[in-house]
């Protein structure tokens, strides 16, 4: 999967939970889920569960710990997909 | 240092996994320790217990980020203990936090401190059906209004800026003030403490 495809998939996963449209429209690798997209921290668990389902991977809590931005989420997804 | 977190229970019911779904157990396993899951399982109102514990974790986390300047997302690393229906203790790694909570049918609001201080001022309020930006503006305004009245500042010259890790700081005429505070918003409810 290319970087752009991965970002596009992530974008559709986070869409139901975002509260800042502007930051969502300008989403890039550097976008932070809570500080920029204003995703409610409780809903970040839903993002993680959706990522698990979409990519058929399992994200342990130690990995989840770093999932606070698009960049770190992409790193973790790639790492898990490569380990498959 | 002080942190607070408010959860709108109706909003949470709508936006988080339903308790009869498969996803619910996966949600619990990602967020709560075995001991906390037992508290939830044995609670009269499970939904209230889930979000009481959540708000305690989040309030303590906000103090932890102020202390160490590092964000992380691992609610399970934050360990809650309830002393009674209002007071609790939270441990993050080796650090202890004291919490005080209000829980009603509509919301759960927790405040966390480092030493169990009780001389803080806090407020919560409900604003129906407003978009996120307006809610956020109203929360900041309510906080600035009370702090300007309490500490004798001119509200016009006060402003809030966030640090890189998302900690809000208070400024008066662009001079940073040493006042610890915390803002929180969820659904129709907002809360703050200083």
């Amino acid at each position: 999967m290319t970087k752009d495809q991965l970002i596009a998939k992530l974008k559709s996963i986070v869409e139901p939970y975002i509260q800042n449209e502007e930051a969502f429209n300008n989403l890039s690798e550097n976008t932070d889920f809570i500080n920029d997209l204003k995703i409610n921290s409780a809903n970040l668990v839903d993002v993680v569960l959706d990522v698990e389902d979409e990519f058929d991977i399992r994200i342990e809590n130690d990995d989840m710990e770093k999932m606070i931005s698009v960049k770190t989420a992409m790193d973790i997804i790639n790492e898990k997909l490569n380990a498959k | 240092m002080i942190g607070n977190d408010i959860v709108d229970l109706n909003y949470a019911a709508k936006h988080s996994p339903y308790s009869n779904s498969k996803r619910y157990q996966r949600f619990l396993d990602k967020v709560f320790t075995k001991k906390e899951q037992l508290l939830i399982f044995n609670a009269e109102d499970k939904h209230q217990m889930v979000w009481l514990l959540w708000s305690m974790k989040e309030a303590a986390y906000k103090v932890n980020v102020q202390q160490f300047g590092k964000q992380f997302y691992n609610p399970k690393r934050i360990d809650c203990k309830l002393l009674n229906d209002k007071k609790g203790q939270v441990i993050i790694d080796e650090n202890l936090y004291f919490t005080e909570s209000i829980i009603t049918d509509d919301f759960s609001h927790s405040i966390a401190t480092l030493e169990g201080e009780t001389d803080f001022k806090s407020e919560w309020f409900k604003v129906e059906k407003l978009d996120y930006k307006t809610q956020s503006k109203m929360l900041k305004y309510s906080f600035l209004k009370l702090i300007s009245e309490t500490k004798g500042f001119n509200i016009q010259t006060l402003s809030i800026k966030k640090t890189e890790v998302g900690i809000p700081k208070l400024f008066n005429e662009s001079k940073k003030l040493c006042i610890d505070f915390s803002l929180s918003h969820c659904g129709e409810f907002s809360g703050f403490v200083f």
Side-chain angles (χ1 to χ4, degrees):
Chain A
M1 200 180 316
T2 67
K3 202 165 113 182
D4 287 345
Q5 285 173 322
L6 186 52
I7 291 185
K9 271 199 174 183
L10 262 178
K11 203 171 171 179
S12 68
I13 288 174
V14 299
E15 189 172 12
Y17 312 109
I18 59 117
Q19 297 190 90
N20 184 343
E21 293 281 345
E22 211 181 309
F24 178 72
N25 292 332
N26 298 319
L27 187 136
S28 75
E29 266 186 76
N30 300 319
T31 304
D32 184 290
F33 289 140
I34 293 178
N35 294 332
D36 297 327
L37 297 178
K38 309 288 180 198
I39 294 177
N40 193 300
S41 57
N43 286 135
L44 208 45
V45 189
D46 293 289
V47 171
V48 175
L49 293 174
D50 290 343
V51 165
E52 285 189 337
D53 293 341
E54 174 68 31
F55 297 95
D56 192 24
I57 53 177
R58 190 170 149 70
I59 295 167
E60 306 294 340
N61 275 53
D62 287 348
D63 298 317
M64 184 170 88
E65 182 153 329
K66 293 168 250 154
M67 279 188 68
I68 49 176
S69 70
V70 172
K71 170 90 178 63
T72 51
M74 284 169 59
D75 290 345
I76 289 157
I77 294 166
N78 277 326
E79 195 183 299
K80 297 282 161 190
L81 287 176
N82 289 335
K84 260 190 167 182
Chain B
M1 286 180 202
I2 199 151
N4 89 131
D5 187 63
I6 198 158
V7 179
D8 179 331
L9 295 182
N10 293 317
Y11 180 91
K14 269 185 229 146
H15 292 87
S16 285
Y18 297 116
S19 57
N20 57 359
S21 67
K22 266 192 190 162
R23 197 183 165 98
Y24 186 66
Q25 189 56 48
R26 290 172 65 203
F27 165 79
L28 292 181
D29 287 338
K30 288 235 180 308
V31 174
F32 298 106
T33 64
K34 285 269 173 309
K35 266 191 194 165
E36 290 161 357
Q37 290 194 35
L38 204 62
L39 279 175
I40 295 164
F41 184 75
N42 291 323
E44 219 171 285
D45 188 328
K46 294 182 175 54
H47 184 62
Q48 266 190 355
M49 184 59 82
V50 163
W51 298 108
L52 168 64
L53 293 172
W54 175 275
S55 66
M56 287 167 64
K57 282 174 189 257
E58 188 74 20
Y61 169 76
K62 285 182 183 172
V63 181
N64 185 272
V65 176
Q66 291 172 47
Q67 271 180 295
F68 302 105
K70 205 167 177 290
Q71 289 175 285
F72 62 90
Y73 191 69
N74 190 353
K76 217 171 167 171
R77 200 170 114 195
I78 305 170
D79 193 9
C80 293
K81 195 161 88 183
L82 281 176
L83 303 177
N84 56 44
D85 56 353
K86 280 194 194 116
K87 286 185 189 286
Q89 287 182 353
V90 180
I91 291 171
I92 305 178
D93 306 324
E94 263 103 62
N95 306 290
L96 177 66
Y97 306 90
F98 296 86
T99 61
E100 215 175 292
S101 307
I102 307 172
I103 181 117
T104 73
D105 289 341
D106 298 317
F107 71 92
S108 167
H109 186 207
S110 293
I111 291 157
T113 58
L114 275 177
E115 322 250 334
E117 301 96 313
T118 49
D119 56 344
F120 51 76
K121 275 197 177 3
S122 78
E123 258 184 28
W124 63 267
F125 59 91
K126 184 180 179 181
V127 181
E128 276 170 44
K129 287 176 196 149
L130 284 177
D131 64 288
Y132 181 84
K133 278 195 179 154
T134 316
Q135 287 264 19
S136 169
K137 261 189 205 157
M138 289 201 64
L139 170 57
K140 281 182 186 157
Y141 177 76
S142 310
F143 164 68
L144 292 178
K145 188 166 176 286
L146 189 63
I147 206 144
S148 61
E149 287 165 8
T150 318
K151 309 260 182 189
F153 291 112
N154 176 358
I155 191 167
Q156 304 298 337
T157 58
L158 290 178
S159 63
I160 298 169
K161 281 180 206 135
K162 277 191 177 177
T163 68
E164 249 177 48
V165 288
I167 303 166
K169 298 282 180 192
L170 187 61
F171 291 80
N172 186 32
E173 291 174 334
S174 68
K175 198 178 150 231
K176 193 160 126 187
L177 301 174
C178 287
I179 296 173
D180 289 328
F181 67 100
S182 169
L183 309 173
S184 178
H185 161 248
C186 173
E188 295 181 343
F189 286 89
S190 294
F192 63 82
V193 66
F194 63 88

